[in-house]
Amino acid sequence: MISDNAKKQINSWIEKYPEGHQSSAVMEALRVVQAENNNQLSHEAIQAVADYLQMPGIAAAEVASFYENYNHKPMGKHIIRFCHNISCMLNGADELIAHLETKLGVKTGEVTKDGLISVKKVECLGACVGAPMFQIGDQYYENLTTDKIDDIVDNLKWMKFVLKT
């Protein structure tokens, strides 16, 4: 369930912690395994991480269920993590999420028909000064408007076309 490449990456994180504390690498181990499993974590994948780190399965499952960056169902190649905390809500996040859902033809938590994009509501992403905002991969998009969202989404769809040819 965990590839040799994933084990190599996980081992580089385990080395950062004192001997016998390999379970401290659980967050990165879950991230690595999720990336190799179509951007989601099954119960079996979580248990495989726990076994590899020699920790109780329930402890790994608690981490995987607490943090919103772990996915437990199929997600698109690009996950739009839309901040839904107080600063973003006060600055129109709900209306912008509705706009995004309409543009993509999916509800929050679903995947577009082409498998490219998912929308996920998350708690604070720590960019309140730029509210409303969302994250795609490592990139933050702040001070969102419907026009900005349209440009960003259209660019994601265009990248799919370019990558296919």
Side-chain angles (χ1 to χ4, degrees), residues 90-129:
L90 290 174
N91 283 290
D94 288 330
E95 293 81 11
L96 293 174
I97 291 169
H99 173 78
L100 183 59
E101 290 174 337
T102 299
K103 179 167 183 64
L104 296 174
V106 297
K107 294 289 183 192
T108 299
E110 297 177 346
V111 183
T112 55
K113 290 179 184 165
D114 59 7
L116 189 63
I117 302 172
S118 294
V119 180
K120 192 173 183 180
K121 284 185 192 176
V122 299
E123 285 301 318
C124 187
L125 289 168
C128 299
V129 72

Side-chain angles (χ1 to χ4, degrees), residues 54-85:
Q54 300 172 357
M55 63 188 290
I58 188 65
E62 287 171 341
V63 172
S65 64
F66 180 79
Y67 293 100
E68 293 181 276
N69 50 324
Y70 302 114
N71 306 311
H72 304 284
K73 62 182 186 176
M75 300 298 280
K77 179 178 178 181
H78 301 288
I79 302 170
I80 299 175
R81 289 182 166 81
F82 213 115
C83 181
H84 197 251
N85 212 321

Side-chain angles (χ1 to χ4, degrees), residues 23-93:
S23 64
S24 297
V26 67
M27 290 185 71
E28 283 300 316
L30 290 168
R31 182 191 61 77
V32 167
V33 170
Q34 177 174 269
E36 285 199 346
N37 287 282
N38 297 316
N39 214 8
Q40 74 178 83
L41 287 171
S42 64
H43 295 293
E44 295 80 16
I46 295 168
Q47 185 60 53
V49 167
D51 293 345
Y52 191 75
L53 296 177
Q54 300 172 357
M55 63 188 290
I58 188 65
E62 287 171 341
V63 172
S65 64
F66 180 79
Y67 293 100
E68 293 181 276
N69 50 324
Y70 302 114
N71 306 311
H72 304 284
K73 62 182 186 176
M75 300 298 280
K77 179 178 178 181
H78 301 288
I79 302 170
I80 299 175
R81 289 182 166 81
F82 213 115
C83 181
H84 197 251
N85 212 321
I86 190 70
S87 294
C88 288
M89 284 184 358
L90 290 174
N91 283 290

